[in-house]
Amino acid sequence: MLQYATNIVKIRQKLVKHFRCSSTSAKPNLTDTITINNKTFKRDDYTNITDKIVCLAQKSLHTTPHHPISLVRQRIVNYFYKTFLNSRRNPLFSVYDNLSPIVSLAQNFDSLLIPENHPSRLKSDCYYINREYLLRAHTTAHQAELIRAGLDNFLIVGDVYRRDEIDSKHYPVFHQLDAVRLKTKDQLFSCENDLKLFDCDDTACIPGGPTKQRCHTFEAFKLMEHELKTTLVGLAKELFGNQVRYRWVDTSFPFTQPSWELEVYYNNEWLEILGCGIMMQSLLTNVGVNNRIGWAFGLGLERIAMCLFKIQDIRLFWSNDSGFLNQFKDDDLKSPIIYKPISQHPQCIHDISFWLPEDKTDSLSFCSNDFYDLVRNVAGDLVEQVLLVDQFTHPKSGKKSLCYRIIYRHMERTLTNAEVNEVHQLIECAASDQFGVTIR
Ligand code: PHE
């Protein structure tokens, strides 16, 4: 365990300098407004977005030419362009890839029928700007407004934001692609005039199968399920090859019913690549659509890119290193690219242990995600992983102690001990300043 900083005065001076240009979730910034992408918002008791995240919100990896995230986007978009054509042989789907990531709670949650008490709304899981706005936690946030605008077939691609742990597979910003397809009775049944989309059908439960919505006829539901699943299996084959093993897993989302996840077998394990389902009919009626049934899905681009290009660490997507980016310069979208790691530099491991202040011993007032954001803010991408390795409550005093292991590793060079010590001490000071913890 690391000792408390030796030259605490010097470290504190550095800390003050550091925080002049940054802020963390735990302590409200001195100013009462926050500016993101040239828009200014009022802070309130919900604000937990950090400057580190505000900086990341300016990049647009999904539209940066030759960036691996953009390559995966292009492959998926091209698959939709060629699979769905209108009568004039033009692509049916339109693509929205520059919608602002700043959305209202109404867009991110209410429009998707996500209940008030749903865990996805928690402050510990989202980056809130204030009580009214947040950085979208999924691209599905735009579904309802695009349907209201009159669209029937569309894709949404964008950056999404979630507070999460720190390891090689999680980053607070990642990218998603969502799709919606709505069909009228005539489009679904062609010339079968006696078939209907809607019915008040009491046989909601198909024996042995998932539960369809009661308002849908069995035949409408089945045709939609079939089109959704064949489209997505086709997509999985397009990305991972014809031989890919896959399976469907039942799940639930507030905005689709029934809902499924598609898993592909990759590297000796089943990997969930997307969530999908038949859209809740009430979501459609809420935006004025009464004559269509829809399917929708959403997938994460990083996870697919990490598999396709064999990229081991999610931080690499944010690297400016030409050794990384130049490996994706191939103009042939279909040519297989396997990323060759730029040498692996050594890790440097330090633990940090502290007593929580007495008023913060419950899990609601201090959560690990607060600490992870502080680490990201101070140390940025120098940190590869943070693990909670120990926690205990003192039997007499009732005080709670936590120990986190911080694994430092730079993507592009070897870190010196001195610089890691310095950053680690900055983290200790920041933690005691902002959470009132006592370093042990
Ligand atoms: N928004 C869901 C997620 O982020 C994915 C999803 C989109 C599921 C659309 C169903 C329909 O996990």
Side-chain angles (χ1 to χ4, degrees):
M1 244 163 253
L2 250 209
Q3 282 176 343
Y4 193 53
T6 40
N7 190 346
I8 198 70
V9 177
K10 232 172 153 182
I11 300 278
R12 277 197 186 276
Q13 281 167 352
K14 277 199 182 149
L15 195 65
V16 169
K17 231 163 108 194
H18 179 90
F19 281 100
R20 219 169 271 156
C21 52
S22 68
S23 65
T24 81
S25 55
K27 208 174 204 175
N29 201 297
L30 295 177
T31 59
D32 58 4
T33 59
I34 183 163
T35 303
I36 311 169
N37 295 352
N38 297 324
K39 286 197 203 87
T40 300
F41 300 85
K42 255 196 156 58
R43 288 172 185 272
D44 63 24
D45 58 328
Y46 252 59
T47 311
N48 65 359
I49 179 170
T50 66
D51 284 352
K52 161 98 184 159
I53 301 300
V54 173
C55 285
L56 294 175
Q58 336 267 336
K59 319 234 168 172
S60 182
L61 302 186
H62 60 288
T63 53
T64 303
H66 301 293
H67 192 281
I69 296 297
S70 171
L71 296 182
V72 178
R73 168 190 59 95
Q74 274 173 273
R75 286 191 192 182
I76 299 174
V77 168
N78 287 351
Y79 169 78
F80 272 85
Y81 280 169
K82 74 172 187 218
T83 308
F84 293 95
L85 297 168
N86 67 14
S87 53
R88 277 183 255 122
R89 306 210 59 75
N90 287 325
L92 208 55
F93 276 78
S94 44
V95 180
Y96 295 82
D97 60 12
N98 63 356
L99 301 171
S100 168
I102 302 167
V103 296
S104 63
L105 273 69
Q107 287 171 290
N108 199 82
F109 303 115
D110 304 339
S111 74
L112 293 164
L113 316 172
I114 298 175
E116 283 298 328
N117 59 358
H118 196 271
S120 64
R121 292 189 185 239
L122 285 175
K123 244 180 107 170
S124 58
D125 287 35
C126 298
Y127 285 105
Y128 281 97
I129 298 170
N130 55 32
R131 280 184 170 267
E132 211 180 328
Y133 295 100
L134 74 161
L135 291 178
R136 67 185 162 215
H138 51 178
T139 36
T140 323
H142 301 284
Q143 209 181 71
E145 78 207 46
L146 293 177
I147 296 170
R148 194 194 288 277
L151 297 171
D152 284 341
N153 300 286
F154 58 88
L155 305 174
I156 311 161
V157 196
D159 36 348
V160 300
Y161 299 76
R162 289 189 200 170
R163 301 184 72 197
D164 218 326
E165 52 212 80
I166 301 185
D167 65 24
S168 64
K169 302 228 155 43
H170 294 91
Y171 205 75
V173 191
F174 60 101
H175 297 81
Q176 283 190 328
L177 182 146
D178 261 63
V180 165
R181 171 148 168 82
L182 303 182
K183 290 180 106 169
T184 60
K185 171 178 174 301
D186 290 347
Q187 288 164 342
L188 192 62
F189 300 127
S190 311
C191 21
E192 299 294 336
N193 272 332
D194 51 341
L195 295 176
K196 293 188 288 180
L197 287 185
F198 306 113
D199 201 358
C200 199
D201 183 357
D202 277 336
T203 53
C205 201
I206 305 147
T211 312
K212 74 169 184 66
Q213 293 168 56
R214 288 177 68 165
C215 58
H216 293 151
T217 61
F218 181 73
E219 47 277 18
F221 159 65
K222 268 295 167 198
L223 282 175
M224 289 299 279
E225 176 190 4
H226 177 75
E227 187 185 77
L228 170 63
K229 288 186 170 173
T230 35
T231 303
L232 293 177
V233 169
L235 176 62
K237 289 185 173 167
E238 176 86 10
L239 294 172
F240 295 96
N242 270 330
Q243 306 311 318
V244 70
R245 279 176 69 195
Y246 64 87
R247 67 180 185 194
W248 292 102
V249 179
D250 290 343
T251 186
S252 69
F253 297 106
F255 32 92
T256 50
Q257 191 193 323
S259 311
W260 301 276
E261 277 165 3
L262 177 58
E263 295 187 344
V264 298
Y265 199 70
Y266 176 81
N267 230 352
N268 299 323
E269 57 174 348
W270 285 104
L271 193 77
E272 179 221 314
I273 58 162
L274 58 85
C276 66
I278 306 299
M279 295 176 72
M280 287 303 271
Q281 203 60 38
S282 52
L283 189 161
L284 295 176
T285 46
N286 285 349
V287 289
V289 171
N290 297 309
N291 60 348
R292 285 163 162 77
I293 180 170
W295 56 248
F297 76 85
L299 56 76
L301 294 172
E302 269 78 355
R303 184 172 282 191
I304 294 174
M306 287 175 88
C307 292
L308 289 182
F309 307 132
K310 305 220 171 357
I311 295 172
Q312 309 288 349
D313 192 311
I314 197 164
R315 287 177 297 165
L316 276 163
F317 293 117
W318 299 86
S319 163
N320 290 320
D321 190 290
S322 56
F324 174 72
L325 293 170
N326 284 341
Q327 296 191 32
F328 300 93
K329 285 267 172 326
D330 200 324
D331 277 327
D332 176 8
L333 257 187
K334 286 235 153 188
S335 74
I337 301 170
I338 296 197
Y339 165 67
K340 292 171 228 52
I342 346 168
S343 74
Q344 279 279 14
H345 299 280
Q347 294 178 328
C348 193
I349 301 175
H350 284 308
D351 287 351
I352 175 170
S353 301
F354 46 75
W355 294 108
L356 290 179
E358 266 148 55
D359 58 337
K360 281 199 173 162
T361 46
D362 64 288
S363 57
L364 281 181
S365 45
F366 179 88
C367 69
S368 287
N369 280 352
D370 290 336
F371 182 67
Y372 301 150
D373 269 324
L374 178 143
V375 172
R376 287 196 187 282
N377 231 17
V378 176
D381 287 357
L382 295 188
V383 175
E384 179 176 84
Q385 197 173 1
V386 182
L387 300 163
L388 177 61
V389 286
D390 190 32
Q391 51 183 323
F392 81 95
T393 307
H394 193 280
K396 287 217 178 90
S397 66
K399 277 171 69 173
K400 188 168 176 187
S401 163
L402 300 176
C403 177
Y404 290 95
R405 178 153 300 154
I406 306 185
I407 302 169
Y408 297 87
R409 182 180 358 220
H410 200 288
M411 300 300 311
E412 286 126 22
R413 62 185 175 81
T414 300
L415 290 167
T416 65
N417 264 331
E419 74 185 307
V420 172
N421 283 340
E422 199 175 300
V423 174
H424 196 74
Q425 286 171 2
L426 284 172
I427 292 174
E428 290 184 326
C429 289
S432 62
D433 260 25
Q434 285 156 52
F435 304 133
V437 303
T438 311
I439 305 290
R440 300 181 64 198

